[in-house]
Amino acid sequence: MSDPVPIAFGPVTDKDGPKTVVNAPETAVSTPETLVRGPEAAVRHRDMTNPPTESQSLALVAQRPDAPAEPLTAAAKPSVRYAGIAARLKLDPETMRKPGKTTRKTDTTTPRKTDTATQRKPVTATTRKLGTVGKPLRTAQKTAGVDLTRVKPRAATVHLSHALAADWLRDEGLRTKSSGHCTNRNLFHCTSLEEVRTSTITRMIELKRQSGCPIMVTGGTETGHAPGRYSHSKGYKLDITHNSCIDRYITKKNEKSGTRGDGAALYRSPSGTVFADEIDHWDILFR
Protein backbone atom coordinates (compact mmCIF):
# COMPACT_ATOMS: atom_id res chain seq x y z
CA MET A 1 0.00 0.00 0.00
CA SER A 2 1.35 3.42 -0.96
CA ASP A 3 1.60 6.36 1.51
CA PRO A 4 -1.40 8.69 1.61
CA VAL A 5 -1.10 11.95 -0.24
CA PRO A 6 -1.13 15.00 2.14
CA ILE A 7 -4.15 17.27 1.76
CA ALA A 8 -3.62 21.04 1.58
CA PHE A 9 -6.40 23.41 2.74
CA GLY A 10 -4.98 26.58 1.22
CA PRO A 11 -1.89 28.66 0.88
CA VAL A 12 0.24 29.15 3.98
CA THR A 13 2.09 32.35 4.86
CA ASP A 14 4.82 33.10 7.37
CA LYS A 15 7.40 35.75 8.08
CA ASP A 16 9.47 34.96 4.95
CA GLY A 17 6.51 35.35 2.64
CA PRO A 18 3.98 33.10 0.89
CA LYS A 19 4.78 29.47 0.20
CA THR A 20 3.21 26.89 -2.09
CA VAL A 21 2.18 23.56 -0.65
CA VAL A 22 4.11 20.68 -2.24
CA ASN A 23 2.34 17.57 -3.50
CA ALA A 24 -0.99 19.39 -3.47
CA PRO A 25 -3.76 18.06 -5.63
CA GLU A 26 -4.46 19.68 -8.92
CA THR A 27 -7.47 21.49 -7.47
CA ALA A 28 -5.37 23.41 -4.89
CA VAL A 29 -4.79 27.08 -5.55
CA SER A 30 -1.13 27.82 -6.12
CA THR A 31 -1.52 31.61 -6.28
CA PRO A 32 0.04 33.25 -3.20
CA GLU A 33 -2.37 35.20 -0.87
CA THR A 34 -1.78 38.87 -0.11
CA LEU A 35 -0.82 39.74 3.48
CA VAL A 36 -3.57 41.35 5.57
CA ARG A 37 -2.64 44.61 7.31
CA GLY A 38 -4.39 47.64 8.77
CA PRO A 39 -8.04 47.70 9.94
CA GLU A 40 -8.80 44.38 8.29
CA ALA A 41 -6.07 42.61 10.28
CA ALA A 42 -7.37 44.16 13.53
CA VAL A 43 -10.90 43.06 12.74
CA ARG A 44 -9.84 39.52 11.97
CA HIS A 45 -7.68 39.33 15.09
CA ARG A 46 -10.61 40.49 17.23
CA ASP A 47 -12.90 37.97 15.58
CA MET A 48 -10.46 35.15 16.38
CA THR A 49 -9.84 36.10 20.03
CA ASN A 50 -13.34 37.33 20.90
CA PRO A 51 -15.97 36.05 18.50
CA PRO A 52 -18.83 38.55 18.05
CA THR A 53 -22.32 37.81 19.22
CA GLU A 54 -25.18 37.47 16.86
CA SER A 55 -26.45 40.97 17.66
CA GLN A 56 -23.01 42.48 16.91
CA SER A 57 -22.46 40.63 13.66
CA LEU A 58 -24.29 43.20 11.56
CA ALA A 59 -22.12 46.02 12.84
CA LEU A 60 -18.90 44.02 12.36
CA VAL A 61 -19.85 43.05 8.85
CA ALA A 62 -20.49 46.69 8.03
CA GLN A 63 -16.98 47.59 9.25
CA ARG A 64 -15.22 45.08 6.97
CA PRO A 65 -13.64 46.67 3.89
CA ASP A 66 -14.78 43.88 1.63
CA ALA A 67 -18.42 44.11 2.81
CA PRO A 68 -20.99 46.06 0.79
CA ALA A 69 -21.67 49.55 2.14
CA GLU A 70 -25.21 48.97 3.37
CA PRO A 71 -26.57 50.99 6.29
CA LEU A 72 -28.02 49.26 9.31
CA THR A 73 -31.72 48.84 9.37
CA ALA A 74 -33.83 50.78 11.86
CA ALA A 75 -34.62 47.59 13.73
CA ALA A 76 -30.94 46.68 14.10
CA LYS A 77 -29.69 50.06 15.37
CA PRO A 78 -30.90 49.90 18.98
CA SER A 79 -29.86 46.25 19.37
CA VAL A 80 -26.36 47.04 18.10
CA ARG A 81 -25.83 50.18 20.20
CA TYR A 82 -27.29 49.00 23.50
CA ALA A 83 -26.80 45.25 23.25
CA GLY A 84 -24.05 45.14 25.88
CA ILE A 85 -25.95 47.34 28.34
CA ALA A 86 -29.19 45.47 27.80
CA ALA A 87 -27.43 42.16 28.37
CA ARG A 88 -25.87 43.28 31.66
CA LEU A 89 -29.07 44.83 32.99
CA LYS A 90 -31.33 42.11 31.55
CA LEU A 91 -33.38 44.65 29.60
CA ASP A 92 -35.17 44.49 26.31
CA PRO A 93 -32.76 46.07 23.75
CA GLU A 94 -35.68 47.49 21.78
CA THR A 95 -37.28 49.41 24.68
CA MET A 96 -34.41 49.36 27.23
CA ARG A 97 -36.94 48.30 29.91
CA LYS A 98 -37.55 45.08 31.73
CA PRO A 99 -39.44 42.55 29.63
CA GLY A 100 -43.18 42.85 30.08
CA LYS A 101 -43.03 46.26 31.85
CA THR A 102 -44.85 49.20 30.31
CA THR A 103 -44.37 52.90 30.74
CA ARG A 104 -45.26 54.14 34.21
CA LYS A 105 -48.48 56.07 34.42
CA THR A 106 -49.37 58.62 37.03
CA ASP A 107 -52.07 57.44 39.40
CA THR A 108 -54.60 60.25 39.38
CA THR A 109 -57.27 58.35 41.28
CA THR A 110 -55.56 58.44 44.68
CA PRO A 111 -55.61 61.95 46.19
CA ARG A 112 -52.42 63.25 47.72
CA LYS A 113 -52.39 63.35 51.47
CA THR A 114 -52.32 66.81 53.00
CA ASP A 115 -49.74 67.58 55.63
CA THR A 116 -51.98 68.49 58.54
CA ALA A 117 -49.01 69.51 60.66
CA THR A 118 -48.42 72.60 58.49
CA GLN A 119 -52.06 73.65 58.28
CA ARG A 120 -53.12 76.64 60.32
CA LYS A 121 -55.67 75.67 62.92
CA PRO A 122 -58.58 78.00 63.63
CA VAL A 123 -58.34 80.08 66.78
CA THR A 124 -60.98 79.10 69.32
CA ALA A 125 -61.78 80.06 72.87
CA THR A 126 -59.75 77.09 74.09
CA THR A 127 -56.68 77.74 71.98
CA ARG A 128 -56.76 81.42 72.81
CA LYS A 129 -56.06 80.56 76.46
CA LEU A 130 -52.96 78.61 75.52
CA GLY A 131 -49.46 79.86 74.80
CA THR A 132 -47.89 80.15 71.36
CA VAL A 133 -46.67 76.52 71.40
CA GLY A 134 -49.71 74.95 73.02
CA LYS A 135 -48.49 75.34 76.58
CA PRO A 136 -50.84 76.58 79.26
CA LEU A 137 -50.93 80.29 79.92
CA ARG A 138 -49.33 79.84 83.34
CA THR A 139 -46.26 78.18 81.76
CA ALA A 140 -45.93 80.98 79.23
CA GLN A 141 -46.08 83.53 82.04
CA LYS A 142 -43.26 81.83 83.93
CA THR A 143 -41.12 81.78 80.79
CA ALA A 144 -41.70 85.47 80.08
CA GLY A 145 -41.50 86.50 83.71
CA VAL A 146 -44.68 88.60 83.37
CA ASP A 147 -48.04 88.08 85.03
CA LEU A 148 -50.28 88.43 82.00
CA THR A 149 -53.44 88.30 84.11
CA ARG A 150 -52.63 91.73 85.53
CA VAL A 151 -51.82 93.33 82.19
CA LYS A 152 -54.55 95.52 80.74
CA PRO A 153 -54.76 96.49 77.08
CA ARG A 154 -53.61 100.05 76.50
CA ALA A 155 -54.37 102.29 73.58
CA ALA A 156 -51.93 104.82 72.22
CA THR A 157 -52.15 108.17 74.02
CA VAL A 158 -53.62 110.90 71.84
CA HIS A 159 -53.70 114.51 72.94
CA LEU A 160 -56.22 116.98 71.55
CA SER A 161 -56.13 120.67 70.82
CA HIS A 162 -58.35 123.02 72.82
CA ALA A 163 -60.60 123.76 69.84
CA LEU A 164 -61.20 120.08 69.01
CA ALA A 165 -61.79 119.04 72.64
CA ALA A 166 -64.18 121.96 73.17
CA ASP A 167 -66.12 121.03 70.03
CA TRP A 168 -66.51 117.43 71.25
CA LEU A 169 -67.89 118.61 74.59
CA ARG A 170 -70.17 121.19 73.00
CA ASP A 171 -71.61 118.65 70.57
CA GLU A 172 -72.59 116.40 73.50
CA GLY A 173 -74.24 119.20 75.49
CA LEU A 174 -71.36 119.98 77.90
CA ARG A 175 -70.24 123.55 78.53
CA THR A 176 -66.95 125.17 79.53
CA LYS A 177 -66.49 128.24 81.75
CA SER A 178 -63.43 130.38 82.52
CA SER A 179 -63.24 133.02 85.25
CA GLY A 180 -60.84 135.01 83.07
CA HIS A 181 -62.82 134.38 79.88
CA CYS A 182 -59.71 132.94 78.19
CA THR A 183 -58.23 129.64 77.02
CA ASN A 184 -54.50 130.31 77.47
CA ARG A 185 -52.87 127.29 79.05
CA ASN A 186 -50.14 129.36 80.70
CA LEU A 187 -52.57 131.51 82.73
CA PHE A 188 -54.13 130.04 85.90
CA HIS A 189 -57.38 132.02 85.61
CA CYS A 190 -58.10 130.56 82.14
CA THR A 191 -59.76 127.25 81.29
CA SER A 192 -57.76 125.40 78.66
CA LEU A 193 -58.18 121.97 77.13
CA GLU A 194 -54.92 122.12 75.19
CA GLU A 195 -53.09 118.72 75.19
CA VAL A 196 -55.91 117.00 77.08
CA ARG A 197 -56.05 113.22 76.64
CA THR A 198 -58.63 111.78 74.29
CA SER A 199 -59.77 109.24 76.88
CA THR A 200 -60.38 112.05 79.38
CA ILE A 201 -62.77 113.83 77.03
CA THR A 202 -64.59 110.65 75.98
CA ARG A 203 -65.13 109.48 79.57
CA MET A 204 -66.43 112.90 80.57
CA ILE A 205 -68.94 112.58 77.75
CA GLU A 206 -69.89 109.10 79.04
CA LEU A 207 -70.48 110.60 82.51
CA LYS A 208 -72.85 113.12 80.94
CA ARG A 209 -74.76 110.42 79.08
CA GLN A 210 -75.02 108.00 82.02
CA SER A 211 -76.03 110.60 84.59
CA GLY A 212 -78.25 112.73 82.38
CA CYS A 213 -77.12 115.74 84.40
CA PRO A 214 -75.92 119.13 83.16
CA ILE A 215 -72.13 119.39 83.33
CA MET A 216 -69.95 122.48 83.13
CA VAL A 217 -66.15 122.16 82.89
CA THR A 218 -64.26 124.84 84.80
CA GLY A 219 -60.74 123.42 84.89
CA GLY A 220 -58.49 121.68 82.38
CA THR A 221 -54.79 121.62 81.54
CA GLU A 222 -53.98 125.20 82.47
CA THR A 223 -51.31 126.07 85.01
CA GLY A 224 -52.12 126.54 88.72
CA HIS A 225 -53.07 122.95 89.58
CA ALA A 226 -51.08 120.47 91.66
CA PRO A 227 -48.31 118.73 89.68
CA GLY A 228 -47.87 114.97 89.38
CA ARG A 229 -47.98 112.05 87.03
CA TYR A 230 -51.79 111.96 86.88
CA SER A 231 -52.42 115.69 87.06
CA HIS A 232 -54.30 118.38 85.18
CA SER A 233 -51.26 119.41 83.16
CA LYS A 234 -50.75 115.81 81.96
CA GLY A 235 -54.33 115.70 80.64
CA TYR A 236 -55.76 113.22 83.20
CA LYS A 237 -58.00 115.60 85.21
CA LEU A 238 -60.95 117.91 84.66
CA ASP A 239 -62.93 120.08 87.12
CA ILE A 240 -66.73 120.44 86.96
CA THR A 241 -69.08 122.59 89.02
CA HIS A 242 -71.44 121.26 91.70
CA ASN A 243 -75.14 120.80 91.09
CA SER A 244 -77.69 118.64 92.84
CA CYS A 245 -78.07 116.22 89.93
CA ILE A 246 -74.41 115.38 89.47
CA ASP A 247 -73.75 115.39 93.22
CA ARG A 248 -76.46 112.80 93.77
CA TYR A 249 -75.27 110.64 90.90
CA ILE A 250 -71.60 110.58 92.01
CA THR A 251 -72.32 109.83 95.65
CA LYS A 252 -74.97 107.18 94.92
CA LYS A 253 -73.40 105.34 91.98
CA ASN A 254 -69.79 105.23 93.20
CA GLU A 255 -68.17 103.75 96.26
CA LYS A 256 -66.69 106.06 98.86
CA SER A 257 -62.96 105.43 99.26
CA GLY A 258 -61.80 107.69 102.09
CA THR A 259 -60.61 111.26 102.10
CA ARG A 260 -57.74 113.02 100.41
CA GLY A 261 -54.92 114.84 102.25
CA ASP A 262 -56.69 118.20 101.93
CA GLY A 263 -59.91 116.75 103.42
CA ALA A 264 -61.80 116.20 100.16
CA ALA A 265 -64.06 113.10 100.17
CA LEU A 266 -63.13 110.54 97.54
CA TYR A 267 -65.45 108.32 95.47
CA ARG A 268 -64.21 105.63 93.11
CA SER A 269 -66.08 104.11 90.18
CA PRO A 270 -65.69 100.47 89.06
CA SER A 271 -63.76 101.68 86.01
CA GLY A 272 -61.17 103.46 88.18
CA THR A 273 -62.37 107.05 87.92
CA VAL A 274 -61.77 109.00 91.17
CA PHE A 275 -64.07 111.87 92.19
CA ALA A 276 -62.72 114.34 94.80
CA ASP A 277 -65.38 116.53 96.42
CA GLU A 278 -63.76 119.94 96.81
CA ILE A 279 -65.47 123.08 98.10
CA ASP A 280 -66.76 124.56 94.85
CA HIS A 281 -66.22 121.82 92.29
CA TRP A 282 -65.57 118.14 91.63
CA ASP A 283 -61.96 117.24 90.84
CA ILE A 284 -62.20 114.17 88.59
CA LEU A 285 -59.27 111.88 87.71
CA PHE A 286 -59.71 109.69 84.63
CA ARG A 287 -57.04 106.94 84.58
Side-chain angles (χ1 to χ4, degrees):
M1 176 180 277
S2 60
D3 296 334
V5 178
I7 300 174
F9 293 92
V12 180
T13 60
D14 59 4
K15 297 181 180 179
D16 298 333
K19 292 183 179 180
T20 304
V21 179
V22 183
N23 298 326
E26 293 181 357
T27 58
V29 180
S30 60
T31 305
E33 184 177 350
T34 305
L35 291 176
V36 179
R37 295 187 177 87
E40 176 65 15
V43 171
R44 292 188 179 185
H45 178 71
R46 184 180 61 185
D47 292 346
M48 294 174 61
T49 58
N50 185 20
T53 61
E54 182 179 356
S55 61
Q56 295 174 340
S57 61
L58 293 175
L60 295 176
V61 169
Q63 294 176 8
R64 296 178 63 88
D66 54 349
E70 295 180 1
L72 297 178
T73 61
K77 286 183 180 180
S79 61
V80 171
R81 182 178 299 177
Y82 305 113
I85 300 175
R88 288 196 302 270
L89 301 180
K90 298 180 180 180
L91 303 177
D92 184 2
E94 297 293 337
T95 61
M96 293 306 291
R97 293 187 175 88
K98 291 185 178 181
K101 189 171 184 180
T102 58
T103 305
R104 185 180 61 181
K105 296 182 179 180
T106 305
D107 187 6
T108 58
T109 58
T110 305
R112 181 177 295 179
K113 294 183 179 180
T114 306
D115 189 2
T116 57
T118 59
Q119 290 182 343
R120 180 175 295 179
K121 297 181 180 181
V123 179
T124 60
T126 304
T127 58
R128 191 179 291 110
K129 295 180 180 179
L130 301 178
T132 56
V133 293
K135 296 181 180 180
L137 183 60
R138 189 172 302 173
T139 305
Q141 293 172 4
K142 292 180 180 179
T143 305
V146 179
D147 187 3
L148 299 180
T149 59
R150 299 178 61 86
V151 177
K152 295 181 179 180
R154 300 182 62 184
T157 302
V158 179
H159 297 272
L160 303 176
S161 64
H162 173 84
L164 183 57
D167 287 343
W168 283 16
L169 295 178
R170 189 182 308 109
D171 292 342
E172 295 296 330
L174 289 86
R175 296 180 298 166
T176 59
K177 181 180 179 180
S178 171
S179 59
H181 304 284
C182 56
T183 60
N184 192 335
R185 186 181 181 184
N186 298 319
L187 300 177
F188 69 93
H189 58 273
C190 296
T191 300
S192 176
L193 300 175
E194 191 70 26
E195 294 297 320
V196 68
R197 291 165 56 91
T198 304
S199 59
T200 301
I201 296 298
T202 55
R203 291 172 71 178
M204 179 62 77
I205 294 174
E206 290 179 1
L207 177 63
K208 169 69 169 60
R209 292 176 178 176
Q210 293 174 0
S211 64
C213 302
I215 293 179
M216 181 180 289
V217 179
T218 59
T221 58
E222 67 278 353
T223 188
H225 298 281
R229 179 179 179 182
Y230 303 104
S231 60
H232 281 270
S233 61
K234 299 296 183 180
Y236 286 90
K237 283 187 173 185
L238 290 178
D239 292 341
I240 63 174
T241 57
H242 283 292
N243 63 66
S244 58
C245 180
I246 196 65
D247 292 347
R248 183 170 54 255
Y249 179 84
I250 293 175
T251 57
K252 298 295 183 181
K253 296 294 183 179
N254 301 284
E255 183 180 358
K256 190 171 183 180
S257 59
T259 57
R260 203 167 59 183
D262 58 356
L266 299 177
Y267 297 86
R268 184 181 298 271
S269 69
S271 62
T273 302
V274 179
F275 302 88
D277 187 7
E278 297 188 6
I279 298 175
D280 58 348
H281 65 272
W282 286 99
D283 182 81
I284 308 174
L285 170 60
F286 300 97
R287 295 181 62 177

